[in-house]
Amino acid sequence: MNSDKRLRTATPKWLGVAVKALVYLEKHGELCASGSIARSIDCEVTLVRRVLTRLVQADLIAAREGREGGYVLTRSADHITLADIYHAVEICDPIFPGMLDEPQSNPLCKDVATAISEIVAESKQRMLEVWESHTLASLAKRTTLVVGNCSHNEGKDAKPPSKRD
């Protein structure tokens, strides 16, 4: 496998996937397969698995391998802040990338890019202060999601259940 693919930098989209996946796990309350998580949040399973890997590395969720495997929260959702999730995903792209694409040869553009970078850094710090005050549990309470069973038949050869099943 190409090492560049394995080490992809997280984008802001990854944060959304992480938050939705964790809310789903909180609502579900037990082990859940990545395919079921992906279907429930309308996301491609490969991206979900990449994001879940980051959440496992940050010890926000645990993974059990195998046919009956899946993912589960490692601690109460009351003890997981939105800032924890943000840090777990490690977004590397700037929040406002278009504002930083200034020609560095032009002194005015360079000064504006520097000033915007400072403001973006301040904005990020303030955002994290707010996110630190909100938990996964408080976010989950704001949703109306009703969760069903998680499927563990998500391998390459898995087929949708037939009417006979």
Side-chain angles (χ1 to χ4, degrees):
M1 173 186 263
N2 183 344
S3 63
D4 289 340
K5 281 189 173 183
R6 269 186 298 146
L7 301 174
R8 288 190 183 178
T9 57
T11 65
K13 179 178 180 176
W14 286 41
L15 180 60
V17 171
V19 169
K20 289 183 277 186
L22 289 170
V23 167
Y24 181 78
L25 287 172
E26 160 61 9
K27 292 276 192 170
H28 191 267
E30 55 188 50
L31 201 66
C32 193
S34 59
S36 295
I37 296 169
R39 281 187 300 278
S40 68
I41 65 172
D42 293 327
C43 188
E44 207 276 321
V45 72
T46 303
L47 176 57
V48 169
R49 288 181 181 143
R50 286 184 184 135
V51 172
L52 293 175
T53 297
R54 297 269 176 110
L55 299 175
V56 168
Q57 291 168 344
D59 198 33
L60 296 179
I61 61 174
R64 184 187 321 161
E65 295 182 16
R67 182 181 169 146
E68 297 299 318
Y71 298 87
V72 65
L73 296 178
T74 57
R75 59 185 182 255
S76 165
D78 288 321
H79 294 100
I80 298 173
T81 68
L82 298 183
D84 293 332
I85 301 167
Y86 181 89
H87 291 302
V89 173
E90 297 179 15
I91 295 173
C92 297
D93 293 343
I95 297 173
F96 305 106
M99 297 178 78
L100 301 177
D101 292 336
E102 302 293 337
Q104 296 299 310
S105 60
N106 179 314
L108 174 64
C109 294
K110 184 177 180 180
D111 288 348
V112 169
T114 299
I116 290 293
S117 294
E118 292 167 356
I119 293 168
V120 167
E122 180 184 352
S123 299
K124 177 181 171 184
Q125 181 59 39
R126 289 188 184 178
M127 178 197 76
L128 287 173
E129 289 169 5
V130 172
W131 282 39
E132 191 67 45
S133 69
H134 295 277
T135 65
L136 179 60
S138 68
L139 178 62
K141 287 178 186 170
R142 293 181 179 200
T143 68
T144 58
L145 176 70
V146 176
V147 181
N149 292 332
C150 281
S151 169
H152 288 89
N153 297 326
E154 60 179 71
K156 286 185 202 174
D157 300 323
K159 296 176 183 152
S162 68
K163 291 185 180 179
R164 291 181 294 140
D165 297 337

